[in-house]
Amino acid sequence: MKITVCIKSAVDTEAVVALDGQGALDSDRASYIIDPYSEFAVEKAIQLKESGAADEVSVLCIGDEASMPAMRHALAMGADAAYRVDDPLLAGSDSSALAQTLAAALRSIDCDFIMGGCKSADTANAQLMGRVSVILDMPHIGVATGVDLENGRAMVRREIDDGVELLDVALPAVVTAQQGLAEPRYPKVPDIMRSKKKPVTVWTLADIGVNVDMVGEHAAKTVTHAFKLKPERVGGRIMEGEPADAVRDTVAALYNEAKVM
Amino acid sequence: MYQLTEEESMIVDMVDRLCRDVISERAAQIDEDDKFPHDIFDLLKEQGIFAVSFDEAYGGFDTSIHCWVRIIERVARESPAVALMILINAVGTDPVVSFGTEEQKRTILTRLTAGEAKACFALTEPNAGSDISSIRTTAKKIDGGYCLNGSKIFITNGAVGDYFSVFAQVDDGIDRKPTCFIVSKDTPGLVIGRKEEKMGLRGSVTSQLFFENMVVPETSIIGEVGQGFEVAHHTLNRGRLAVAALAEGVARASLDYAANYALERVQFGRHLSEMQAIRHMIADMEVGVEAGTLLLDQAASDYQDNSKNLMKHASAAKLYCSELAVRNSEAAVQIFGGYGVCKDYPVERFYRDAKFFTIVEGTSQVQRTLVAKAVLKEHALES
Amino acid sequence: MSIWVFAELKDGAYRRVAYEMVSKARSLADERGCDVGVVVFGRAIEDPRQQLGAYGADQVLVVDDAALETYMPDAYASACVELIRAQHPEIVLFATSSIGSDLAPIVAERLDTGLVTDAVAVESVEGQLVCTRQPYSGKVLQDVVFAEQAIPHLVTVRPKTLELAIPDENRSACVLVQSVAGFGDVRQNIRDVVRKVSERAELAEADYVVAGGRGLKGPDGFKLLEGLADQLGAAIGASRPAVDDGWIDIQYQVGQTGKTVAPQLYIACGISGSIQHMAGMSASKCIVAINNDPDADIFRVADYGIVADLFDAVPLMTEEFARIKNA
């Protein structure tokens, strides 16, 4: 039983997020970490290996050298091998192009079960793995808070709006992780040292047979038009009038202005 | 400055996460309880942190002293008492590492790297602090070993230690020969005295030790009879490097807290951070932290290369960083004002912890003497 | 040409977000001169129209089939894709709900089109659809547009961000029952569904917090706050003086020596706003302060400040929230 986890090297959103002169994310000032949702999936996959439900765990990432720390982190957690697709032609790709790329890479990796994050903490598009499942013609179960592998099926506990759903599906399948699936371990020093020897394979688009017409800016189906930092909180607004009026105006503002209701 | 290898960066990142997620939550309670935090010790052990400074042959890793120093500094920003745990396991057995036999290393170091044992460095006595040559613990040669009598004071990990590097005077009839012995905790005659009630570094248990006709075998000698002070001095270089790192961590944490507070607190209609007096204090704290970082890096490189400047640079780093910690923590308390002396905020703890660093591992006065000697010797050779 | 909304029924009624989406679809449709269709899936759907017409829908396209009784990704996706391929809507809106978020990417990929997720604003700018979303933990506002060839434009919309239109009771939508050729191979097998029992939220996780301080004058003050908290499904919090005086347990304390919270809404009642307290709640998305001291520090960080006696203001606020909820 081989599990491949699609991971993302994402911007650490707890750190300062800054925009450069052109209104794009200032990647020099950003610090990159393994996306937390990817990390939940990696942890679960490793736990499945440790319990004997799987034999091998590999991780797959799209990214340049800057994504190596995230991949090494996954290897240090206990993944056996890492794959990276790195190609300048990918620049400006949207989710559908990235999904084509991941799917092509997954076809080149011998795996029975595919996992990933239900979304990423930075861009939070939450559509990549669903698209991958369609391209690979596999069933998809998202937002999982529990996963077991039994007799060639994945038994999944999934979070829904007002509760929890228990489902199962035959493998191969794509399942994505939600917070609560597994608490990621801190890699131990011996595992960190060992991770250096684990194989990392780097592919270009040509290596995995991705048609260049499907990726990049020209192929993008959605395009970012503008990026702005959200304005800082400015306090100090006192609601005028008698208590009843001030209260009513405040409540109305919470619905219509602040939109927190 | 030394650039950490990829693996070393990953190790330091992992320690950083542990600090943020676990150690920071426990730091105030550890200080309050003043008990050895076994849960934190076990966590560090699980993660393999005790093995970081040791040789691969004994269960350690191929990582540099710089990596170890950065770990200690990072942990010290949350809790120097916890950072001291990491320090003492290495420093307490440094005699074995540097002067021990293969047999001693194999038996003892593998247990240390696995976090299966805790170490102590038993040199200081009630009448011998700075003046280590005045130690009075005696080691009388008997059949098959030595019989030790005497006492030690201010021993970190005393109450929880498994291995003690004990320094005693062997009287061979001609003169007294200072010698280092490695003693295990269940040796009959080894008595652990009371725990010191300390102003700071609470959670690090400091005890007195008594040796009452304590018999140790011949094989417990580290190095040779008479080599004791050489062994002690070698360990002190390592210890000074580590205490400098501890102090740097406290100095840095003091700066971080003070700067953040200054950006929030408003008085006289302005943030403290807009006031010149505060700005100057922050600037001084920052420059000190940067200078301390560089001195620490230099000393660690000397240790790595076994440079002849090691003693001077280790002393310089320890001297500077420890006094910096005292200055910075005092400035932080001052900036916090009334809140600074209340336990709601950690700066009062930094202030209480910092004072130890100018005293332990050789007082600032001793460090100045050592640095002066080294400098004057260099000049004497030149002229 | 039409703009579609994928509406979900919960216990036989449309979720509020469906009406929000229909309202927006209506204004987009008016600009483009086209219709608004609402797609509804289910089984034995009793009243498919409800208020959809009043909020601007022209047609309600119903697929009523046993296969669609509960949400199954394969079945819903197949039905959705088939309808879209047959009728060519230009834009389809889904809610960012567990169904919408799961369904939309699959539909998008099967139709080889673009999808913008979790939009907080959807506007037509010079004839082009511009969706705004908030990535990077909400720190950034991102405007996204679709490539021309990406038809239909698919969007998942965050609930409570689009405005509800003023309903026109004279407007009604007509129901068009749809039949779908096949639901495809349904591969997922649902074994059980466990609904959550609603209880008061945990302080650390809560979206809404109602907190009290010295101004409550005693433990009974918290009973007043509980009324407001119950109305909002909020957690209760407290400042340190209230805890130190024994009015409430320390587990409710918010501040430097208590919990740090970052809810959507933090209502501070009778709290002066000491720096210690602010350390625990300043990351809240929106802060409302109620205090009878106009100089209280809390007003400096509050988005909305009410200078009044909390014993008047809190019950008034509870009533006002109740009134809106029942409207």
Side-chain angles (χ1 to χ4, degrees), chain A residues 191-210:
Chain A
D191 297 324
I192 291 172
M193 300 307 288
R194 242 176 265 140
S195 71
K196 187 160 194 171
K197 303 188 184 76
K198 295 181 178 176
V200 177
T201 307
V202 183
W203 284 323
T204 60
L205 291 174
D207 291 331
I208 51 175
V210 173

PDB file of all heavy atoms in Angstrom, chain A residues 191-210:
ATOM      1  N   ASP A 191      15.707  11.646  12.916  1.00  0.00           N
ATOM      2  CA  ASP A 191      14.941  11.625  11.675  1.00  0.00           C
ATOM      3  C   ASP A 191      15.338  12.772  10.754  1.00  0.00           C
ATOM      4  O   ASP A 191      15.331  12.626   9.543  1.00  0.00           O
ATOM      5  CB  ASP A 191      13.427  11.696  11.972  1.00  0.00           C
ATOM      6  CG  ASP A 191      12.956  10.487  12.755  1.00  0.00           C
ATOM      7  OD1 ASP A 191      13.486   9.379  12.502  1.00  0.00           O
ATOM      8  OD2 ASP A 191      12.081  10.640  13.616  1.00  0.00           O
ATOM      9  N   ILE A 192      15.658  13.911  11.346  1.00  0.00           N
ATOM     10  CA  ILE A 192      16.124  15.042  10.553  1.00  0.00           C
ATOM     11  C   ILE A 192      17.429  14.669   9.863  1.00  0.00           C
ATOM     12  O   ILE A 192      17.614  14.909   8.669  1.00  0.00           O
ATOM     13  CB  ILE A 192      16.313  16.300  11.427  1.00  0.00           C
ATOM     14  CG1 ILE A 192      14.950  16.822  11.901  1.00  0.00           C
ATOM     15  CG2 ILE A 192      17.060  17.393  10.664  1.00  0.00           C
ATOM     16  CD1 ILE A 192      15.014  17.938  12.919  1.00  0.00           C
ATOM     17  N   MET A 193      18.323  14.046  10.613  1.00  0.00           N
ATOM     18  CA  MET A 193      19.625  13.678  10.032  1.00  0.00           C
ATOM     19  C   MET A 193      19.450  12.617   8.942  1.00  0.00           C
ATOM     20  O   MET A 193      20.099  12.649   7.923  1.00  0.00           O
ATOM     21  CB  MET A 193      20.578  13.168  11.115  1.00  0.00           C
ATOM     22  CG  MET A 193      20.880  14.162  12.231  1.00  0.00           C
ATOM     23  SD  MET A 193      21.454  15.788  11.677  1.00  0.00           S
ATOM     24  CE  MET A 193      23.085  15.381  11.108  1.00  0.00           C
ATOM     25  N   ARG A 194      18.531  11.692   9.174  1.00  0.00           N
ATOM     26  CA  ARG A 194      18.302  10.611   8.212  1.00  0.00           C
ATOM     27  C   ARG A 194      17.663  11.131   6.930  1.00  0.00           C
ATOM     28  O   ARG A 194      17.807  10.540   5.867  1.00  0.00           O
ATOM     29  CB  ARG A 194      17.353   9.579   8.829  1.00  0.00           C
ATOM     30  CG  ARG A 194      17.970   8.212   8.980  1.00  0.00           C
ATOM     31  CD  ARG A 194      17.055   7.251   9.679  1.00  0.00           C
ATOM     32  NE  ARG A 194      17.317   7.187  11.103  1.00  0.00           N
ATOM     33  CZ  ARG A 194      16.383   7.112  12.052  1.00  0.00           C
ATOM     34  NH1 ARG A 194      15.126   7.081  11.741  1.00  0.00           N
ATOM     35  NH2 ARG A 194      16.722   7.048  13.325  1.00  0.00           N
ATOM     36  N   SER A 195      16.916  12.220   7.032  1.00  0.00           N
ATOM     37  CA  SER A 195      16.146  12.687   5.877  1.00  0.00           C
ATOM     38  C   SER A 195      17.049  13.080   4.723  1.00  0.00           C
ATOM     39  O   SER A 195      16.643  13.043   3.567  1.00  0.00           O
ATOM     40  CB  SER A 195      15.248  13.866   6.268  1.00  0.00           C
ATOM     41  OG  SER A 195      16.023  15.028   6.502  1.00  0.00           O
ATOM     42  N   LYS A 196      18.273  13.427   5.043  1.00  0.00           N
ATOM     43  CA  LYS A 196      19.208  13.849   4.007  1.00  0.00           C
ATOM     44  C   LYS A 196      19.464  12.742   2.988  1.00  0.00           C
ATOM     45  O   LYS A 196      19.722  12.990   1.829  1.00  0.00           O
ATOM     46  CB  LYS A 196      20.534  14.250   4.663  1.00  0.00           C
ATOM     47  CG  LYS A 196      21.491  14.856   3.685  1.00  0.00           C
ATOM     48  CD  LYS A 196      22.566  15.682   4.348  1.00  0.00           C
ATOM     49  CE  LYS A 196      23.271  16.529   3.278  1.00  0.00           C
ATOM     50  NZ  LYS A 196      24.171  17.501   3.848  1.00  0.00           N
ATOM     51  N   LYS A 197      19.383  11.503   3.443  1.00  0.00           N
ATOM     52  CA  LYS A 197      19.708  10.378   2.550  1.00  0.00           C
ATOM     53  C   LYS A 197      18.509   9.924   1.740  1.00  0.00           C
ATOM     54  O   LYS A 197      18.622   9.051   0.887  1.00  0.00           O
ATOM     55  CB  LYS A 197      20.247   9.201   3.372  1.00  0.00           C
ATOM     56  CG  LYS A 197      21.465   9.565   4.203  1.00  0.00           C
ATOM     57  CD  LYS A 197      22.081   8.329   4.834  1.00  0.00           C
ATOM     58  CE  LYS A 197      23.245   8.671   5.746  1.00  0.00           C
ATOM     59  NZ  LYS A 197      22.808   9.236   7.040  1.00  0.00           N
ATOM     60  N   LYS A 198      17.331  10.469   2.014  1.00  0.00           N
ATOM     61  CA  LYS A 198      16.150   9.975   1.296  1.00  0.00           C
ATOM     62  C   LYS A 198      16.088  10.570  -0.104  1.00  0.00           C
ATOM     63  O   LYS A 198      16.469  11.723  -0.297  1.00  0.00           O
ATOM     64  CB  LYS A 198      14.886  10.299   2.092  1.00  0.00           C
ATOM     65  CG  LYS A 198      14.846   9.547   3.416  1.00  0.00           C
ATOM     66  CD  LYS A 198      13.594   9.848   4.198  1.00  0.00           C
ATOM     67  CE  LYS A 198      13.577   9.041   5.493  1.00  0.00           C
ATOM     68  NZ  LYS A 198      12.417   9.385   6.333  1.00  0.00           N
ATOM     69  N   PRO A 199      15.598   9.808  -1.071  1.00  0.00           N
ATOM     70  CA  PRO A 199      15.656  10.274  -2.461  1.00  0.00           C
ATOM     71  C   PRO A 199      14.690  11.414  -2.749  1.00  0.00           C
ATOM     72  O   PRO A 199      13.539  11.392  -2.320  1.00  0.00           O
ATOM     73  CB  PRO A 199      15.260   9.024  -3.269  1.00  0.00           C
ATOM     74  CG  PRO A 199      14.474   8.186  -2.325  1.00  0.00           C
ATOM     75  CD  PRO A 199      14.997   8.469  -0.950  1.00  0.00           C
ATOM     76  N   VAL A 200      15.200  12.401  -3.478  1.00  0.00           N
ATOM     77  CA  VAL A 200      14.372  13.501  -3.958  1.00  0.00           C
ATOM     78  C   VAL A 200      14.497  13.513  -5.475  1.00  0.00           C
ATOM     79  O   VAL A 200      15.598  13.630  -6.002  1.00  0.00           O
ATOM     80  CB  VAL A 200      14.840  14.860  -3.399  1.00  0.00           C
ATOM     81  CG1 VAL A 200      13.994  15.984  -3.979  1.00  0.00           C
ATOM     82  CG2 VAL A 200      14.782  14.881  -1.883  1.00  0.00           C
ATOM     83  N   THR A 201      13.372  13.361  -6.148  1.00  0.00           N
ATOM     84  CA  THR A 201      13.394  13.348  -7.619  1.00  0.00           C
ATOM     85  C   THR A 201      12.812  14.655  -8.110  1.00  0.00           C
ATOM     86  O   THR A 201      11.753  15.084  -7.631  1.00  0.00           O
ATOM     87  CB  THR A 201      12.517  12.183  -8.142  1.00  0.00           C
ATOM     88  OG1 THR A 201      12.937  10.982  -7.505  1.00  0.00           O
ATOM     89  CG2 THR A 201      12.640  12.049  -9.645  1.00  0.00           C
ATOM     90  N   VAL A 202      13.510  15.314  -9.023  1.00  0.00           N
ATOM     91  CA  VAL A 202      13.008  16.578  -9.555  1.00  0.00           C
ATOM     92  C   VAL A 202      12.636  16.376 -11.015  1.00  0.00           C
ATOM     93  O   VAL A 202      13.420  15.873 -11.803  1.00  0.00           O
ATOM     94  CB  VAL A 202      14.068  17.690  -9.438  1.00  0.00           C
ATOM     95  CG1 VAL A 202      13.492  19.017  -9.929  1.00  0.00           C
ATOM     96  CG2 VAL A 202      14.545  17.834  -7.996  1.00  0.00           C
ATOM     97  N   TRP A 203      11.439  16.759 -11.361  1.00  0.00           N
ATOM     98  CA  TRP A 203      10.938  16.596 -12.731  1.00  0.00           C
ATOM     99  C   TRP A 203      10.631  17.927 -13.389  1.00  0.00           C
ATOM    100  O   TRP A 203      10.201  18.872 -12.736  1.00  0.00           O
ATOM    101  CB  TRP A 203       9.621  15.800 -12.708  1.00  0.00           C
ATOM    102  CG  TRP A 203       9.757  14.335 -12.491  1.00  0.00           C
ATOM    103  CD1 TRP A 203      10.738  13.511 -12.975  1.00  0.00           C
ATOM    104  CD2 TRP A 203       8.863  13.510 -11.763  1.00  0.00           C
ATOM    105  NE1 TRP A 203      10.504  12.224 -12.575  1.00  0.00           N
ATOM    106  CE2 TRP A 203       9.354  12.181 -11.831  1.00  0.00           C
ATOM    107  CE3 TRP A 203       7.680  13.734 -11.048  1.00  0.00           C
ATOM    108  CZ2 TRP A 203       8.723  11.115 -11.234  1.00  0.00           C
ATOM    109  CZ3 TRP A 203       7.040  12.664 -10.451  1.00  0.00           C
ATOM    110  CH2 TRP A 203       7.574  11.361 -10.543  1.00  0.00           C
ATOM    111  N   THR A 204      10.791  17.967 -14.704  1.00  0.00           N
ATOM    112  CA  THR A 204      10.280  19.104 -15.468  1.00  0.00           C
ATOM    113  C   THR A 204       8.923  18.659 -16.033  1.00  0.00           C
ATOM    114  O   THR A 204       8.554  17.486 -15.928  1.00  0.00           O
ATOM    115  CB  THR A 204      11.189  19.446 -16.656  1.00  0.00           C
ATOM    116  OG1 THR A 204      11.232  18.282 -17.512  1.00  0.00           O
ATOM    117  CG2 THR A 204      12.589  19.824 -16.208  1.00  0.00           C
ATOM    118  N   LEU A 205       8.218  19.572 -16.659  1.00  0.00           N
ATOM    119  CA  LEU A 205       6.926  19.222 -17.263  1.00  0.00           C
ATOM    120  C   LEU A 205       7.103  18.169 -18.338  1.00  0.00           C
ATOM    121  O   LEU A 205       6.291  17.251 -18.478  1.00  0.00           O
ATOM    122  CB  LEU A 205       6.261  20.472 -17.848  1.00  0.00           C
ATOM    123  CG  LEU A 205       5.785  21.497 -16.813  1.00  0.00           C
ATOM    124  CD1 LEU A 205       5.280  22.755 -17.521  1.00  0.00           C
ATOM    125  CD2 LEU A 205       4.700  20.916 -15.937  1.00  0.00           C
ATOM    126  N   ALA A 206       8.191  18.280 -19.077  1.00  0.00           N
ATOM    127  CA  ALA A 206       8.451  17.314 -20.154  1.00  0.00           C
ATOM    128  C   ALA A 206       8.641  15.913 -19.576  1.00  0.00           C
ATOM    129  O   ALA A 206       8.155  14.930 -20.140  1.00  0.00           O
ATOM    130  CB  ALA A 206       9.686  17.738 -20.935  1.00  0.00           C
ATOM    131  N   ASP A 207       9.307  15.821 -18.434  1.00  0.00           N
ATOM    132  CA  ASP A 207       9.551  14.520 -17.799  1.00  0.00           C
ATOM    133  C   ASP A 207       8.255  13.788 -17.491  1.00  0.00           C
ATOM    134  O   ASP A 207       8.201  12.559 -17.503  1.00  0.00           O
ATOM    135  CB  ASP A 207      10.322  14.690 -16.478  1.00  0.00           C
ATOM    136  CG  ASP A 207      11.759  15.143 -16.699  1.00  0.00           C
ATOM    137  OD1 ASP A 207      12.322  14.818 -17.762  1.00  0.00           O
ATOM    138  OD2 ASP A 207      12.300  15.827 -15.809  1.00  0.00           O
ATOM    139  N   ILE A 208       7.218  14.522 -17.138  1.00  0.00           N
ATOM    140  CA  ILE A 208       5.972  13.853 -16.746  1.00  0.00           C
ATOM    141  C   ILE A 208       4.893  13.960 -17.821  1.00  0.00           C
ATOM    142  O   ILE A 208       3.752  13.585 -17.610  1.00  0.00           O
ATOM    143  CB  ILE A 208       5.431  14.382 -15.395  1.00  0.00           C
ATOM    144  CG1 ILE A 208       5.343  15.917 -15.395  1.00  0.00           C
ATOM    145  CG2 ILE A 208       6.292  13.897 -14.254  1.00  0.00           C
ATOM    146  CD1 ILE A 208       4.697  16.494 -14.140  1.00  0.00           C
ATOM    147  N   GLY A 209       5.273  14.497 -18.961  1.00  0.00           N
ATOM    148  CA  GLY A 209       4.347  14.503 -20.094  1.00  0.00           C
ATOM    149  C   GLY A 209       3.216  15.509 -20.000  1.00  0.00           C
ATOM    150  O   GLY A 209       2.092  15.223 -20.426  1.00  0.00           O
ATOM    151  N   VAL A 210       3.504  16.684 -19.453  1.00  0.00           N
ATOM    152  CA  VAL A 210       2.457  17.705 -19.405  1.00  0.00           C
ATOM    153  C   VAL A 210       2.581  18.604 -20.630  1.00  0.00           C
ATOM    154  O   VAL A 210       3.653  19.114 -20.929  1.00  0.00           O
ATOM    155  CB  VAL A 210       2.569  18.564 -18.123  1.00  0.00           C
ATOM    156  CG1 VAL A 210       1.584  19.718 -18.178  1.00  0.00           C
ATOM    157  CG2 VAL A 210       2.328  17.722 -16.886  1.00  0.00           C
TER     158      VAL A 210
END
